[in-house]
Amino acid sequence: MARPKICILFAGGTIGMVKNPKTGVLQPATEASEIIREIPDIQKFVQLDLKMVVNIDSSNMNPSHWTEIAKSIHTHYDKYDGFVVVQGTDTMAYTASALSFALQNLSKPVVFTGSLIPLSEIGADGRNNLIYACLTATLDIAEVCIVFANKILRGNRAKKHHESFVDVFHSPNYPYLGELGRPTALFEWRKKRRKRVLKFKPNFDQKISVLKLFPGFDPYIIERAIERDAHGIIIEGFGPGNIPFIENSLVAQIENAIDHHIPVVIATQMEKGITNLHAYEGGFNALKAGAISSHDMTTEATIAKLMWTLAQTRKVSEIKDIIEKDIAGELSL
Ligand code: ASP
């Protein structure tokens, strides 16, 4: 039987880094294609091709890289049974979210992975992650996911929540899609392979502001975002999406933004749970001022979705409809 064909798109991260002997900091190695030599065993089961996108720390990635990765998958879509994207963990949840909007209706998996410890160091997790990511790319799953520390997570539900332990991702508002081990288990709620027509919308408008509230937050910060011509604003509110409405009230500035045709999305600072703008006066005042609710999306998914939506329309009412709808499994209705 022919081995499944998997395409690895390499976009950098710790997995391809080495320590600079002078400064002691991790930086991208020159020869990233080496990573494929680290996993000879898996090549008995799959045919691997490697395509270089970029070799950088993922903190240097921006939406133009998301578009580049999406375009590359789109170009080679019919040639492979699945795709693996290797990048750094710092912004992996953003890229995975972005790709879930750029490539909808997938009939095969797009699997993100990387590592916390470089391949050359003791305790390296990259080899295991890469092998399992390639294996997952052959399985009956058809969505953008992250494979890390033997778990399969929905990409637009994942959050990096740990900096020093190899199990760096969790999925606070959605169960894992599968577990990799003995045996490998895929759960019923994953999207499964079947022939679907791919919807390809790879553009993002990065001109947004993301504001995290804190007690004493100056409403002028929102006015500054409006003055600098933000195309959209996300406010991480308190609890279920509450904002101050007595002293330092944000209500007038939310109205000001809407008057300038700038959508304002209220997200929550809590990892687990859901925005509810009907729960308290704080949220309700934001709602009455015209704010949109991020529901149970992660902030990473909310950011990618707002950028993606703004690349298609600048009409606040249309943006509200898209943000509050489930596009790629990022939001529970
Ligand atoms: N700073 C690295 C990056 O995101 C961390 C990692 O790869 O895990 O590129």
Side-chain angles (χ1 to χ4, degrees):
M1 222 173 66
R3 290 172 299 160
K5 289 184 81 175
I6 304 301
C7 178
I8 301 180
L9 296 151
F10 187 85
T14 300
I15 197 166
M17 290 191 190
V18 288
K19 222 174 228 167
N20 179 318
K22 283 201 190 113
T23 61
V25 302
L26 288 170
Q27 59 188 51
T30 34
E31 205 29 280
S33 52
E34 291 289 320
I35 63 156
I36 237 172
R37 282 196 220 137
E38 294 283 336
I39 48 171
D41 354 4
I42 187 86
Q43 293 180 63
K44 287 183 207 136
F45 307 101
V46 296
Q47 300 177 60
L48 292 181
D49 281 346
L50 179 76
K51 296 191 196 304
M52 281 299 291
V53 180
V54 65
N55 189 5
I56 50 176
D57 187 292
S58 77
S59 46
N60 291 312
M61 286 180 86
N62 58 52
S64 68
H65 296 108
W66 306 345
T67 302
E68 197 181 333
I69 296 169
K71 283 187 172 163
S72 184
I73 294 174
H74 183 246
T75 306
H76 303 288
Y77 193 65
D78 293 331
K79 277 189 257 159
Y80 294 97
D81 298 294
F83 293 84
V84 172
V85 183
V86 177
Q87 75 149 84
T89 56
D90 289 349
T91 66
M92 190 183 286
Y94 293 88
T95 318
S97 298
L99 275 257
S100 74
F101 303 123
L103 299 163
Q104 287 166 48
N105 265 1
L106 286 166
S107 9
K108 50 189 86 174
V110 173
V111 185
F112 278 76
T113 200
S115 78
L116 193 71
I117 302 169
L119 279 173
S120 55
E121 285 186 21
I122 285 175
D125 52 333
R127 198 172 167 277
N128 191 54
N129 287 341
L130 200 53
I131 288 174
Y132 274 138
C134 292
L135 175 75
T136 304
T138 69
L139 298 179
D140 181 12
I141 178 163
E143 56 179 300
V144 178
C145 49
I146 292 181
V147 162
F148 223 92
N150 293 34
K151 290 195 294 262
I152 310 174
L153 299 82
R154 178 166 291 168
N156 55 30
R157 295 289 193 152
K159 275 188 99 69
K160 182 171 180 179
H161 76 134
H162 216 298
E163 186 32 54
S164 51
F165 178 56
V166 291
D167 193 5
V168 297
F169 287 100
H170 74 162
S171 177
N173 282 331
Y174 201 77
Y176 299 134
L177 304 180
E179 281 163 3
L180 297 149
R182 258 188 320 190
T184 282
L186 288 178
F187 303 129
E188 230 3 80
W189 44 88
R190 75 199 187 276
K191 297 184 193 219
K192 300 183 190 112
R193 284 184 191 254
R194 74 179 151 79
K195 207 92 213 93
R196 298 182 182 93
V197 182
L198 185 68
K199 278 200 217 159
F200 180 55
K201 291 185 185 170
N203 297 321
F204 298 88
D205 176 353
Q206 65 191 58
K207 217 157 181 283
I208 66 165
S209 287
V210 183
L211 309 172
K212 180 169 185 153
L213 293 193
F214 53 88
F217 182 94
D218 185 345
Y220 178 64
I221 297 171
I222 301 181
E223 200 175 329
R224 281 294 292 138
I226 298 168
E227 281 165 14
R228 63 169 279 277
D229 190 29
H231 294 172
I233 297 173
I234 296 171
I235 298 176
E236 266 198 3
F238 301 121
N242 291 325
I243 57 153
F245 57 97
I246 303 176
E247 217 177 300
N248 284 338
S249 170
L250 303 191
V251 175
Q253 285 307 334
I254 294 178
E255 285 167 353
N256 187 14
I258 309 287
D259 288 346
H260 284 81
H261 309 285
I262 302 169
V264 177
V265 181
I266 303 286
T268 167
Q269 295 182 10
M270 296 178 302
E271 288 212 334
K272 212 170 167 56
I274 194 165
T275 53
N276 179 359
L277 304 186
H278 291 273
Y280 293 91
E281 282 178 287
F284 198 55
N285 279 316
L287 187 68
K288 280 193 299 185
I292 299 167
S293 177
S294 78
H295 214 66
D296 65 342
M297 284 188 284
T298 60
T299 299
E300 291 85 338
T302 309
I303 289 171
K305 191 173 180 182
L306 182 60
M307 288 184 179
W308 177 79
T309 307
L310 285 167
Q312 295 164 67
T313 175
R314 297 284 302 282
K315 268 193 156 173
V316 174
S317 60
E318 288 178 6
I319 293 166
K320 179 177 167 62
D321 286 349
I322 298 173
I323 294 290
E324 291 182 348
K325 181 166 96 183
D326 176 25
I327 302 278
E330 76 284 5
L331 175 152
S332 320
L333 288 172

